[in-house]
Amino acid sequence: MTERGPVTIRTIENGEVERFARAFRATFAGEPSEHDLVRLRAILEPERAFAGVDADDEVVATAASFSFELAIPDRPGLPCAGISGVSVRADHRRRGLLTRLLAALHDQARERGEPIAALWASEAPIYGRFGYGPAIPTREFEIRRAHAAFTVPADPGLVRLVDTSTARREFPPIRDAARAERPGLLGRSSGWWDHLLDDDPPDSRDGAGPRRHALIPERAYAVYRVRGSWDDGVPNGQVFAHEVVATDAEAAAAMWRFLIDTDLTDRTVTGARPVDDPLNALVLDTARMRVVDGWPLYLRVLDVAGTLRGRSYRADGDVVIEVRDADLPANAGRWHLEVDGGTVGCDRTDRAADLSMDTRELATIVLGGVRTTQLIGAGRIEQHRPGVGAALDRLLATDLAPWHDFMF
Ligand SMILES: CC(C)(COP(=O)(O)OP(=O)(O)OC[C@H]1O[C@@H](n2cnc3c(N)ncnc32)[C@H](O)[C@@H]1OP(=O)(O)O)[C@@H](O)C(=O)NCCC(=O)NCCS
């Protein structure tokens, strides 16, 4: 048996995007198309893309961060490292490469002043040990057109279909307006907008037609596809509503009515929606609507004080949280979170802890998307005085549930 030499972790050069992409895709049993490479070159930040390179100069592991900003109502967004492209070649698994890659990404993010990291987990058991918690739960809806009466009037006539260049111009400000209200939504760079709106290779359509762009000017947009199909002469196509963002109730109702009533379809399937999506209250016959838990967005608190000071609060309160964090000792210890008339303090303290938790649990509750009391009930957070879990929930509560919708 040949000895496996050491693997060096380093950032990639500009010219190595293809090597990075090939190594990553191979782990997911595929290979990058020419189109993937063009897209990746537009969005990948080589100085934030790490490769594990073996003694033969083969790329055997990959992971990268994107520079995102996580929406926080009434505050500037929180700089956020969006972790992606994680792969370890089959013959190098379980030798600590993911552990080393994440340590490198976390160190770099902290140096860049990003107090928080986010990722979509391919499998739930992977990232908890690295301090990630499922902080933004999402829901996916399947609405049957025959049972899709609404509770309010809706005017689909407000909607018009637009070309890519109009979408490229009109959609971003609508999303930015939604981000002002909705915690969690990550901002998109222009490269990411191009990826959403321009990239549409037939092999990524999953049997559906090309992407369509629907707009209610300044109020709502939708990015969706239609898959046509027939059953015994009866049309039963599907609408895939990948991204639907509306800034007011009338526009939301009009856009959903328009999508659901697409000719020759019998159902609409949504992408990741917030748990308090008004769509749930728009449809009258909710019993005939299928609602499933979607993928949650995982967060990792890289800087406790930076994250807790960086978010907004709707209530005053005062709690001492003890955080355990073996990987990032700068986070470990007792933190006094105090909110008083809009002024937020989060400092180390010697006071006795009200609550104790691992950093993974802190990440899970930090945006207010999952309740502290729920994790206390599950034995994952220790409450040292009755009622302090509920007090922390009142402090962390947000007007709208946190949401994030696009994959990265
Ligand atoms: C998931 C993956 C990146 C793990 O890489 P790795 O280098 O083997 O991970 P490490 O050796 O650093 O493992 C660290 C710990 O996590 C555990 N772990 C790793 N992958 C796991 C998984 N899929 N499920 C459960 N535990 C896992 C390891 O057992 C190890 O635990 P231990 O320290 O108690 O022994 C790799 O298996 C892979 O590339 N999988 C396919 C692609 C994928 O799913 N990527 C993630 C995209 S979000």
Side-chain angles (χ1 to χ4, degrees):
M1 211 172 95
T2 52
E3 186 55 40
R4 266 176 288 221
V7 172
T8 308
I9 304 283
R10 62 162 175 82
T11 53
I12 66 167
E13 306 288 331
N14 275 328
E16 291 185 307
V17 173
E18 181 164 352
R19 292 181 78 197
F20 180 98
R22 286 204 180 283
F24 169 68
R25 280 268 190 260
T27 311
F28 283 86
E31 54 184 344
S33 63
E34 220 15 73
H35 189 269
D36 286 337
L37 293 174
V38 171
R39 168 173 81 80
L40 211 56
R41 286 196 184 95
I43 56 173
L44 200 70
E45 302 164 49
E47 70 285 3
R48 307 201 69 176
F50 287 81
V53 182
D54 72 4
D56 299 325
D57 198 33
E58 297 260 342
V59 174
V60 297
T62 61
S65 294
F66 295 111
S67 308
F68 286 136
E69 202 182 74
L70 189 119
I72 301 285
D74 301 330
R75 298 290 303 265
L78 271 187
C80 174
I83 310 285
S84 183
V86 173
S87 74
V88 173
R89 205 170 76 182
D91 56 346
H92 284 264
R93 289 164 68 241
R94 307 301 180 263
R95 295 159 58 89
L97 284 180
L98 172 62
T99 308
R100 289 171 62 198
L101 285 163
L102 282 176
L105 290 169
H106 290 168
D107 285 351
Q108 188 191 50
R110 283 171 57 88
E111 277 161 23
R112 296 170 68 106
E114 290 163 340
I116 202 156
L119 56 77
W120 297 102
S122 62
E123 291 181 294
I126 302 177
Y127 291 100
R129 74 187 63 233
F130 301 108
Y132 286 84
I136 305 189
T138 64
R139 285 188 181 156
E140 293 169 6
F141 297 81
E142 182 180 306
I143 300 156
R144 287 164 184 267
R145 193 171 162 200
H147 302 285
F150 276 4
T151 49
V152 296
D155 178 8
L158 295 173
V159 179
R160 59 190 172 98
L161 289 171
V162 296
D163 60 18
T164 307
S165 63
T166 307
R168 189 69 186 73
R169 196 178 59 243
E170 302 281 333
F171 290 8
I174 296 172
R175 188 174 176 88
D176 288 343
R179 291 183 70 234
E181 312 276 323
R182 186 64 86 168
L185 281 176
L186 296 174
R188 274 208 188 88
S189 65
S190 65
W192 278 97
W193 275 110
D194 291 344
H195 168 42
L196 174 74
L197 299 174
D198 294 346
D199 279 358
D200 196 19
D203 63 1
S204 70
R205 294 179 192 169
D206 202 18
R211 262 187 210 133
R212 299 182 188 185
H213 307 132
L215 175 71
I216 302 177
E218 295 172 22
R219 300 170 69 189
Y221 71 84
V223 180
Y224 71 106
R225 292 183 198 281
V226 179
R227 183 160 68 204
S229 60
W230 298 78
D231 180 24
D232 227 2
V234 179
N236 64 353
Q238 284 188 39
V239 176
F240 298 99
H242 298 297
E243 186 166 312
V244 180
V245 174
T247 57
D248 68 84
E250 187 190 28
M255 185 58 81
W256 284 116
R257 191 74 271 158
F258 176 83
L259 294 171
I260 293 166
D261 287 347
T262 300
D263 286 335
L264 307 180
T265 68
D266 73 353
R267 69 195 60 202
T268 292
V269 177
T270 75
R273 306 295 309 167
V275 296
D276 60 352
D277 196 341
L279 178 59
N280 204 52
L282 272 176
V283 174
L284 177 67
D285 195 353
T286 48
R288 289 198 167 79
M289 182 164 82
R290 192 178 306 161
V291 186
V292 295
D293 283 349
W295 286 29
L297 189 75
Y298 283 70
L299 295 181
R300 206 295 178 202
V301 176
L302 300 174
D303 171 357
V304 170
T307 299
L308 288 171
R309 285 189 199 133
R311 49 154 294 171
S312 50
Y313 297 85
R314 288 287 180 261
D316 289 348
D318 185 5
V319 179
V320 176
I321 304 171
E322 180 180 40
V323 179
R324 295 180 290 263
D325 193 335
D327 291 341
L328 294 175
N331 279 342
R334 273 170 274 161
W335 296 92
H336 180 205
L337 173 63
E338 187 176 22
V339 184
D340 186 5
T343 307
V344 184
C346 183
D347 297 289
R348 289 194 173 279
T349 181
D350 292 331
R351 280 173 45 175
D354 296 315
L355 298 144
S356 299
M357 62 189 80
D358 284 348
T359 195
R360 178 186 68 166
E361 274 64 43
L362 177 65
T364 307
I365 61 171
V366 77
L367 273 199
V370 175
R371 281 174 174 249
T372 310
T373 47
Q374 188 184 11
L375 298 195
I376 291 170
R380 289 172 46 188
I381 289 179
E382 299 117 63
Q383 174 179 246
H384 304 304
R385 280 192 295 120
V388 283
L392 182 56
D393 278 335
R394 285 194 291 277
L395 203 49
L396 297 178
T398 54
D399 292 352
L400 298 180
W403 177 30
H404 185 62
D405 55 354
F406 76 84
M407 289 267 168
F408 53 86

